[in-house]
Amino acid sequence: MSEKFDSKFHKMYVRGDGEVVERPNSPVTTDMISGLSYEEILAEYRWYVGDSTAQLPQEILERLIITGKV
């Protein structure tokens, strides 16, 4: 039985095999992360990928730099 992933992002960072079943949703905006610190964002990401030493992907870091989080 193959896994199903919510998005290409999920599949890429979990490094799994299986089908991507993307659900229509609104894009993440900088307003959604304005109340969170960099440390909180990193902690959420580490929980999401299940790796306590994971680092944020470069594309996410670039977005955080633009918003002044890093």
Side-chain angles (χ1 to χ4, degrees):
M1 182 165 78
S2 68
E3 297 177 78
K4 290 189 178 182
F5 298 95
D6 294 336
S7 66
K8 290 178 187 176
F9 175 85
H10 183 207
K11 183 177 179 177
M12 181 173 61
Y13 287 100
V14 174
R15 296 185 182 132
D17 293 319
E19 178 183 1
V20 176
V21 182
E22 293 200 40
R23 294 183 220 144
N25 55 7
S26 60
V28 174
T29 64
T30 56
D31 293 340
M32 299 172 108
I33 61 170
S34 64
L36 298 174
S37 69
Y38 171 78
E39 290 78 17
E40 291 170 319
I41 296 166
L42 182 58
E44 287 284 329
Y45 176 73
R46 287 176 172 173
W47 173 84
Y48 179 74
V49 297
D51 180 356
S52 63
T53 61
Q55 295 300 312
L56 292 169
Q58 186 62 35
E59 61 212 45
I60 302 300
L61 284 174
E62 290 170 4
R63 182 99 25 160
L64 293 174
I65 289 168
I66 290 169
T67 62
K69 295 286 183 185
V70 177

